[in-house]
Amino acid sequence: MEKKGIVGKTEQRWDAVAKVTGQAKFTEDFPIANQLHGKIMHATITHGRVVKYDISEAEKMPGVVKVLLPEDLPQNKFGTAGHPYGLDPAKRDIEDRQLLTREIRVYGDEIAAVVAKTELQAVKAIEKIKVEYEEYPVYLTPKEAIADDAMRIHEERDNTIAHTTAGYGDVKKGMAEADYVVKESFSTSPQQHIHMESQVAVAFRSDDQRWTCISSTQIPYICRRIIAQAIGISWAQVRVKKPFIGGGFGNKQEITIEPLTVAMSMACGGKPVQLRLTREESIAFTRTRHAIDYDVEMGVKKDGTITAVDFNVYSNQGGYASHGHAIGSKGGSFINALYKMENFRYDARTVYTNIATAGAMRGYGIPQVTFALESLVEDACDKIGMDPIKFRTMNCRPEGFFNELSKVQQFDFKPVECLEKGREAFHWDEKLADSLKHKTGDKRRGVGVAAFSYGTAVYPFGLEVSSARLILMPDASFKLMLGATEIGQGADTAFSQMAADTLGVSYDKIIRDSMTDTDIDPFDPGAYASRQTYISGYAVREAAEKMRNKLIDLSSRMYDVRPEFIDIVDGNVVYVHNNQKIASLEDVAMASYYDMHYGKALEASASVNIHNNSYASGCTFAQVEVDVETGRTEILSIMNVHDSGKIINPLLASGQVDGGMVMGIGYGMGEGVRYNAKGKPLNNNLLDYKIPTFMDVPDLDQMFVESEDPLGPYGNKSLGENPLCSPAAALRNAVKDATTVGINNMPLSTQNVFEHLKKADII
Amino acid sequence: MEKKGIVGKTEQRWDAVAKVTGQAKFTEDFPIANQLHGKIMHATITHGRVVKYDISEAEKMPGVVKVLLPEDLPQNKFGTAGHPYGLDPAKRDIEDRQLLTREIRVYGDEIAAVVAKTELQAVKAIEKIKVEYEEYPVYLTPKEAIADDAMRIHEERDNTIAHTTAGYGDVKKGMAEADYVVKESFSTSPQQHIHMESQVAVAFRSDDQRWTCISSTQIPYICRRIIAQAIGISWAQVRVKKPFIGGGFGNKQEITIEPLTVAMSMACGGKPVQLRLTREESIAFTRTRHAIDYDVEMGVKKDGTITAVDFNVYSNQGGYASHGHAIGSKGGSFINALYKMENFRYDARTVYTNIATAGAMRGYGIPQVTFALESLVEDACDKIGMDPIKFRTMNCRPEGFFNELSKVQQFDFKPVECLEKGREAFHWDEKLADSLKHKTGDKRRGVGVAAFSYGTAVYPFGLEVSSARLILMPDASFKLMLGATEIGQGADTAFSQMAADTLGVSYDKIIRDSMTDTDIDPFDPGAYASRQTYISGYAVREAAEKMRNKLIDLSSRMYDVRPEFIDIVDGNVVYVHNNQKIASLEDVAMASYYDMHYGKALEASASVNIHNNSYASGCTFAQVEVDVETGRTEILSIMNVHDSGKIINPLLASGQVDGGMVMGIGYGMGEGVRYNAKGKPLNNNLLDYKIPTFMDVPDLDQMFVESEDPLGPYGNKSLGENPLCSPAAALRNAVKDATTVGINNMPLSTQNVFEHLKKADII
């Protein structure tokens, strides 16, 4: 690996100007001639079926082109999760969804659709469709849905989608050896992603009679496959294009609207149809973070040794399988990565219910399990009276550990350093002392800490491939083509830095594209699992190394210098020994285009299949002040510390941490879709579903415990999702430190804190 | 080279449905938000300068965004010819043009421009710009422009742009050895291309702050370079996209409007600006076929031996250098390729005049020189009383000849076979006999023949590189990416057949793209010189061979069969020995995407630099009936015979021949831009500039003398331009046979024939 100093430097996002000037085009911004507009009719019951449709009035409404019922569209069942396809049928996502459905499993299920000339006309026509329902009992929690008398939500399948047990040792024996056994239950909320840009897609018949779908998606290649599966056509008959996208956070790692959009266009003879979800539809009817319940137990000795950990996990899947068991089961290997546990059992069920389907969301199950684990650890520390940081550092996995569950070897893993350096940087001991002075009265203070570990990418549980291509331009700049997806996080900027670094040119010599196109960009499954700078980074590095070698080879032939004597530095071909210039790279580039003898266009492609996974780690420290009269909790200070290997672009990394912390604070302190007893979502808009604003969050402190992970392509590890894994647990622990009350059901809303304080007789 | 039978078969054009249904999008069809419209102000004098502009009224016109004068735009001089850039400054095209000019060298020169909200507003504003001119003398022919007292049309440069002499032997001695010396002068007309779609381009600032130009061009990569040169920015700062295009015929192998379009957008802060030429602008103010005058001499012996040939060539370049001397000088090596000539001299001048700039047009100088040569040969045959076909076959170059001028070796060259097989197929002898019966009275009949040779691509005079890329799709179809340009001729269909043939899959498994994009497609200079199926064919073949090898390699690893035992046939991986199926290619494709072990995206790229050039040949036979009372000439029958190697797609090839023959008939029988004495074009519209319609042409007979050229990537040689090289001369010879009058100044319009007959006292 060559290091030219571009990696590790804050370079300006290549798309910064376009974004701040409003020039950047998102899916809705592409003018498309004669575009029609689709709209979905959502069920207004939670569980049941449509027994009768009457579309006669709807069809007569002005501008209506098509009224579509389930029977009018292909009937194929398909899965919607953004996972690479499994060649092994056993590893495939559950296929339990159809384009439209008569069977209603969630409030808002997609029971009909209208295509009209304008969006408003489609809305008006939807209002004229009459339906008669038959209603079934509603199950809102896993425990309700797995009750003996519960009916199946999907006829073909038990409500328990999956039930797995992982672990090692003898948990019973371990518990018996403990001085204390802490046994608790935890529950977490169905947080919504609230990406700035709602789901939107446009589909039309391409000029080659295939199907094009422009979509705001994190996973263009998976989108291509799932559209084809849903429609029932050969996969390459679909072309997906992704322009700039206004966030996804996992909700766009799911194929929610694209197959229906294509089906609508097909039903209209291939004319372009746009389908976009309102904010209300997006909040209530797309995906949420899984609400997972935990019954957990931990055995500890007085000296702080963990003798056993036992997790019973109930993951509330909602109405459709989506990412399914991947999320509920994932926690096992990540908490196993964090602490040494001689006896460990992780029993996980994923259960259909009738709340909105849960799917991928930044953190992918780890914020939930971290909330449970780190609350449990806190309570264990309280039990044995041990400093919670010390307890963690003594139990943390060492560098170089081998994960018994994932069978993955680590070489660089620094949770201890995060905890220890963070303790100092956060001024933990001062804040602990300060809190001790505020343990009575209305305003009580406390400090809390929580650690986490997070993998990078999905190996060994899933496929990790990526590809990259570099094209030499005549002025010795390079077009970088990637299937990896820029979703606002700055991935493209990081990739450009990587390419520039390895090539030996300046950052501005790398040209990226705002459009990802499955027909022409090299295959990569997309933006999820904090995988891209790691997995796609390998592809970028390999493509850049190949290009560099081609440039050196051509230079060697042009200038009669042996290749091993040649390096490329700052856009020049130089002698490796003393950096003396042989030629400018531009001369070499021009020859590759125009020389009668040497002229051959240079490009370099790489595709990688990665069989390693570097675990990142980190922790959150928080100090809170709880108004015990009202339950209102103010965060006085909060700090995230991250072990994410080499930081590619400090400013972008810092932005990731800021964003993740805010999302983690929202998760811990208030967010969650609420349902009434009949399963109807109650807060489907941003007045009722509140996310933290700048006014709601304190200064966000952050620190990187930087190192070079030997497995990371540029020494880097995951960072995208990591920052929101631990804030909720740290805040819960801080509130407990302030009030002595451990709140085990998220979120720590004023109401929830108030009720707990009341129950504990503190108010 | 694998041959799987796809090459040589008529497959349906991949874009057929889109084109016949009107779905195909051309440059104007892309909706672009907030697009402004540009319009050019054309000079209304022919030679002179603008001494004063008054734009005050124009600026006040409604909708006007910018009124642009030459000084408002970059002042760089640039060339507009669609040639690959020359690293050797001596080989570069002359740079004599600016975005706008005060110096007027042709009627209609581009002296100002307006950008407005609508095209009509721009037109109206142009009308309000007032200019004062100073006028200079006007030179319409090379001989006027090289007169001693002629003023320079470009201050920096003599009116004779270039003057070269090629040849060998001793022409004087050869002439002395002849029994007869035929000495004549010929002149040819400035034919216009009349592509269906006029010149149109749209330019805007891209979201990466570079510049995008969507254009109807044959040469996207050259367009990128020339825009950058004209504007004065780094070449990769420009991205050119070419959608479907409605023909070019060489006029779009010239960069006529794109730099100005980009400059207009720059002047408007990067907003999108469209510039399109009306039919009138396109006919009168873009490019024409060079009107070339010839003073020629040929010495022959009674037995038909050619003792010497002497050509003095005056190529009328018009006001700007454009493709310049390349066209006037090119004839030498091609007539040298056709006949054995012991003594040969080819003296060519290219001269600035004040008629519209001449540029590339299908045939690129060869229709002109063939008209002169084959008329001269006919007259020589008449002189010695020899059968004109026999004269030609005895003098034609044999297979395997070496071209003394181009230094290129041939292996397959069949003009003799064309002439001999054509003689039979055309029923020459019967038609000759029939004509002999019609040598008196009003309607006189005659037969005529003319042969030609045409190279394939531009080697060794220019660079010949091309590149191709194939991407394996999950369903074992293949995306084919090319820089080569589909301009309506069906190149993409031919390339798809080539790729399918080499890969061992069916034609419908190849996916092409309607858009060529200089950022992402592999470099190829474009569509000209009948080069693409030959040069770009090598790139396709090499990319397909690489892909095939990768597929065999992966299959070998997956199925434990040695690679040399594996072939790919009909989309299956089979044993080479007995075609027994090992697996479907789709299984291999799916593994390349999704197998945990084998998964790596497969793509294959190739870039080639070709140092050979296969000469094609052919001939036209015609029988005409001349109404000697009026001069009106009817073509009774006409047949083209082509030696173009292997025919890739018979139906498309046949279409090329049809189109070329019609264009050749129009060239011979009537087309040509006319100027008044002051240089103003007189026929700038399709009422006054008539091209043949279906009603004007007889049945077009055609035949291929098919062979496998050992140098052609699929045995193929040039065909695109060839069909119009010889019709004009054959028709002239037929008219001479009918009337005894040889008409040496094109075209054989009714008026011209009448005047010649009158002069010859036949009327």
Side-chain angles (χ1 to χ4, degrees), chain A residues 18 23 205-207 209-210 234 236 239 463 475 479 511 513-514 519-520 596 599 601 603 605 607 609 611, chain B residues 18 23 205-207 209 234 236 239 475 479 511 513-514 519-520 593 596 599 601 603 605 607 609 611:
Chain A
Q23 189 197 0
R205 200 204 310 263
S206 323
D207 52 25
Q209 312 312 308
R210 293 153 70 227
S234 187
R239 178 176 193 167
L463 181 75
D475 61 359
K479 177 85 181 191
I511 300 170
D513 215 300
S514 54
D519 253 30
I520 55 172
M596 283 292 284
E603 65 93 53
S605 293
S607 187
N609 185 335
H611 282 211
Chain B
Q23 189 198 358
R205 200 203 310 262
S206 324
D207 52 25
Q209 312 312 307
S234 187
R239 177 177 194 167
D475 61 0
K479 178 85 181 192
I511 300 170
D513 215 300
S514 55
D519 252 30
I520 56 172
Y593 272 80
M596 283 293 281
E603 66 94 52
S605 294
S607 186
N609 184 335
H611 282 209

Side-chain angles (χ1 to χ4, degrees), chain B residues 388-606:
Chain B
I389 298 176
K390 192 181 163 205
F391 179 91
R392 285 174 170 86
T393 54
M394 72 169 273
N395 282 296
C396 269
R397 292 276 199 168
E399 295 204 71
F401 80 92
F402 177 80
N403 189 329
E404 298 85 352
L405 295 194
S406 67
K407 313 291 178 202
V408 163
Q409 179 71 47
Q410 294 305 308
F411 297 90
D412 177 74
F413 188 63
K414 299 194 158 48
V416 173
E417 215 172 316
C418 288
L419 285 160
E420 287 175 349
K421 292 199 170 161
R423 176 179 207 133
E424 272 183 51
F426 183 71
H427 303 291
W428 171 270
D429 294 299
E430 294 89 315
K431 285 175 182 168
L432 180 65
D434 171 71
S435 297
L436 282 172
K437 292 181 212 148
H438 296 80
K439 293 294 180 198
T440 54
D442 290 349
K443 310 266 189 173
R444 302 193 188 169
R445 294 189 178 177
V447 290
V449 61
F452 72 92
S453 86
Y454 203 81
T456 304
V458 303
Y459 181 81
F461 302 108
L463 181 75
E464 277 302 358
V465 296
S466 181
S467 321
R469 182 179 304 139
L470 280 160
I471 300 169
L472 174 65
M473 305 293 255
D475 61 0
S477 60
F478 298 85
K479 178 85 181 192
L480 176 58
M481 295 180 76
L482 289 166
T485 322
E486 166 69 55
I487 58 166
Q489 80 282 53
D492 269 351
T493 301
F495 293 135
S496 298
Q497 290 181 251
M498 293 173 176
D501 198 279
T502 298
L503 285 166
V505 302
S506 61
Y507 165 72
D508 59 1
K509 286 289 187 188
I510 309 298
I511 300 170
R512 276 297 291 136
D513 215 300
S514 55
M515 189 69 91
T516 305
D517 181 338
T518 57
D519 252 30
I520 56 172
D521 284 310
F523 177 64
D524 184 299
Y528 56 83
S530 299
R531 60 182 289 281
Q532 293 196 146
T533 50
Y534 189 80
I535 302 294
S536 312
Y538 280 104
V540 171
R541 191 181 80 183
E542 193 171 314
E545 283 167 349
K546 283 184 183 174
M547 174 58 83
R548 193 173 164 279
N549 290 339
K550 287 184 180 187
L551 290 165
I552 288 175
D553 168 66
L554 176 55
S555 303
S556 165
R557 289 182 286 123
M558 284 176 69
Y559 302 110
D560 287 324
V561 177
R562 289 193 56 79
E564 65 268 32
F565 297 170
I566 298 177
D567 196 4
I568 300 170
V569 176
D570 291 341
N572 286 316
V573 180
V574 302
Y575 284 100
V576 80
H577 319 93
N578 60 1
N579 271 10
Q580 190 193 312
K581 181 171 167 177
I582 299 169
S584 82
L585 206 53
E586 204 171 329
D587 291 339
V588 180
M590 286 294 278
S592 79
Y593 272 80
Y594 300 113
D595 190 280
M596 283 293 281
H597 179 67
Y598 298 113
K600 274 191 190 185
L602 293 190
E603 66 94 52
S605 294

